[in-house]
């Protein structure tokens, strides 16, 4: 299976249209058609069902589309690393980040690092801890930021300088909005939003035996999307402070949980990682910054 054929497949899979994919890739439609037929022959599976004006992915095609994204990212990462191996003023960094106000620390470090290496290019994806670990293990990412202490046998990690505080984001006209803190029993039976990861791993530490009385109305990986549902009166969101706008006039307010629930974030990387030159420099730069007195 050739990388070029996989690129053609992925473009068609995203657009579900051969003509648009050909225009994006600046090749002829017949070239893409030949490559796709060859790919199907190589894999021994039908990837598309062809209609008059569109193409529909088969079950096998949908599976390949999911895997192709990371395969192509890995191919690009390898190509960029070797192309810029001797580039002393830049290179490419690949990072997977949890959603947190503390990402400002990483942004600040990258900003300072870029003054030293002006040709630096960084590629950032957002994800929960499972997604970040999976991509670190595949070698798609150089570094990650996760909301838990990583397995010390497999990963090295630096804690970020602050902690994130858990709380409830609700409309300002909610009966609970005037409380100083939210207990688990206050939320019993109410429609709640949270990430699946938080619902399974983080919030049970806080609610303990009262967790069964809490009702997950819907799950969101991005707090911004959850806040839109909260604003429409569909429920209350459990999330970190400072992820969504709760300023006066926003229509939303943040009330911390009690007992207090805090989360440490960790800048992490695989212990057995073979860094590119720019990733090695960034790793050493972050170590220096983390050890500076505050």
């Amino acid at each position: 299976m050739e990388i070029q054929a996989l690129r053609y497949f992925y473009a068609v899979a995203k657009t579900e249209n051969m003509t648009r994919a050909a225009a994006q890739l600046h090749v002829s439609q017949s070239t893409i058609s030949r490559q796709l037929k060859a790919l199907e022959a190589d894999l021994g599976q039908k990837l598309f069902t062809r209609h008059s004006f569109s193409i529909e992915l088969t079950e096998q095609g949908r599976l390949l589309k999911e895997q192709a994204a990371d395969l192509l990212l890995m191919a690009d990462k390898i190509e960029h690393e070797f192309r810029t191996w001797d580039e002393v003023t830049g290179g490419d960094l690949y990072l997977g980040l949890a959603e947190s106000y503390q990402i400002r620390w990483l942004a600040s470090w990258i900003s300072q690092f870029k003054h030293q290496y002006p040709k630096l290019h960084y590629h950032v994806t957002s994800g929960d801890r499972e997604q970040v670990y999976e991509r670190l293990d595949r070698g798609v990412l150089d570094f990650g930021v996760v909301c838990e202490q990583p397995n010390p046998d497999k990963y090295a990690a630096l804690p970020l300088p602050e902690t994130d505080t858990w709380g409830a984001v609700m409309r300002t006209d909610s009966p609970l909005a005037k409380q100083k803190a939210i207990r688990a029993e206050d939320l019993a039976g109410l429609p709640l939003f949270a990430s699946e990861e938080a619902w399974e791993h983080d919030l049970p530490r806080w609610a303990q035996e009262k967790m069964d009385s809490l009702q997950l109305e819907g799950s969101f990986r991005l707090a911004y999307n959850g806040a839109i549902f909260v604003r429409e009166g569909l429920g209350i969101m459990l999330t970190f402070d400072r992820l969504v706008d709760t300023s006066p006039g926003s229509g939303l307010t943040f009330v911390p949980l009690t007992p207090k629930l805090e989360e440490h974030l960790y800048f992490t990387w695989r212990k057995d990682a073979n860094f590119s030159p720019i990733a090695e420099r960034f790793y050493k730069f972050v170590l220096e910054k983390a050890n500076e007195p505050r």
Side-chain angles (χ1 to χ4, degrees):
M1 184 172 61
E2 296 182 0
I3 289 293
Q4 190 61 56
L6 198 61
R7 291 193 192 281
Y8 290 160
F9 162 79
Y10 191 62
V12 174
K14 286 199 301 181
T15 61
E16 295 188 353
N17 185 283
M18 193 89 70
T19 303
R20 287 199 295 270
Q24 288 180 7
L25 295 169
H26 307 292
V27 297
S28 68
Q29 192 169 328
S30 60
T31 298
I32 290 186
S33 182
R34 281 197 309 273
Q35 290 277 3
L36 294 184
K37 287 178 181 177
L39 183 59
E40 288 180 321
D42 287 343
L43 297 176
Q45 297 290 339
K46 188 176 181 181
L47 302 174
F48 297 99
T49 300
R50 292 158 175 82
H51 304 294
S52 299
F53 299 102
S54 65
I55 289 179
E56 181 182 357
L57 290 170
T58 63
E59 181 181 354
Q60 295 89 340
R62 289 193 295 272
L63 176 61
L64 183 59
K65 180 185 177 184
E66 292 178 7
Q67 296 173 332
D70 276 351
L71 286 170
L72 292 173
L73 182 60
M74 172 62 81
D76 290 339
K77 183 174 184 289
I78 292 171
E79 183 180 347
H80 291 154
E81 284 178 356
F82 279 87
R83 186 185 297 158
T84 60
W85 194 270
D86 297 321
E87 173 60 69
V88 296
T89 60
D92 288 75
L93 285 176
Y94 295 82
L95 307 112
L97 309 179
E99 196 178 20
S100 166
Y101 175 75
Q102 288 198 71
I103 296 302
R104 70 189 183 91
W105 288 100
L106 187 62
S108 174
W109 294 337
I110 290 175
S111 176
Q112 296 171 58
F113 188 69
K114 195 170 174 63
H115 283 295
Q116 298 181 28
Y117 302 96
K119 292 185 179 179
L120 171 72
H121 297 283
Y122 47 93
H123 310 265
V124 176
T125 58
S126 297
D128 57 29
R129 66 195 80 177
E130 182 178 335
Q131 292 172 312
V132 172
Y133 286 140
E134 181 182 355
R135 291 190 164 192
L136 280 172
D137 291 344
R138 288 188 184 184
V140 175
L141 299 176
D142 297 312
F143 305 101
V145 174
V146 292
C147 303
E148 70 171 3
Q149 174 75 60
N151 179 354
D153 294 331
K154 194 172 184 180
Y155 305 99
L158 286 172
L160 294 189
E162 302 173 79
T163 57
D164 283 290
T165 301
W166 280 93
V169 173
M170 63 193 75
R171 285 168 53 124
T172 53
D173 58 3
S174 167
L176 298 176
K178 297 188 183 303
Q179 293 190 188
K180 292 184 177 180
I182 297 293
R183 302 165 299 171
E185 50 265 37
D186 295 328
L187 302 175
L190 298 179
L192 302 176
F193 303 126
S195 70
E196 290 183 4
E197 183 179 75
W199 194 262
E200 293 175 5
H201 300 288
D202 303 309
L203 294 170
R205 290 189 284 116
W206 166 69
Q208 298 185 5
E209 72 278 0
K210 299 183 179 71
M211 192 68 193
D212 289 340
S213 68
L214 302 184
Q215 171 188 325
L216 184 64
E217 177 78 2
S219 59
F220 294 90
R221 279 185 173 156
L222 297 177
Y224 178 83
N225 290 345
I228 293 175
F229 279 65
V230 173
R231 197 171 282 114
E232 290 298 322
L234 292 170
I236 293 172
M237 181 169 62
L238 302 178
T239 187
F240 291 161
D241 192 9
R242 296 178 287 194
L243 283 187
V244 297
D245 180 16
T246 56
S247 62
S250 68
L252 300 177
T253 190
F254 177 90
V255 183
L257 302 181
T258 187
K260 192 172 186 179
L261 181 63
E262 293 183 316
E263 201 77 53
H264 292 274
L265 261 70
Y266 296 86
F267 178 79
T268 187
W269 61 95
R270 279 176 31 225
K271 280 187 170 181
D272 62 352
N274 292 312
F275 288 139
S276 66
I278 194 66
E280 179 76 23
R281 295 183 193 117
F282 185 66
Y283 154 75
K284 292 178 179 178
F285 181 86
V286 169
L287 288 182
E288 291 176 5
K289 289 297 175 183
N291 290 322
E292 286 182 354
R294 291 185 176 83

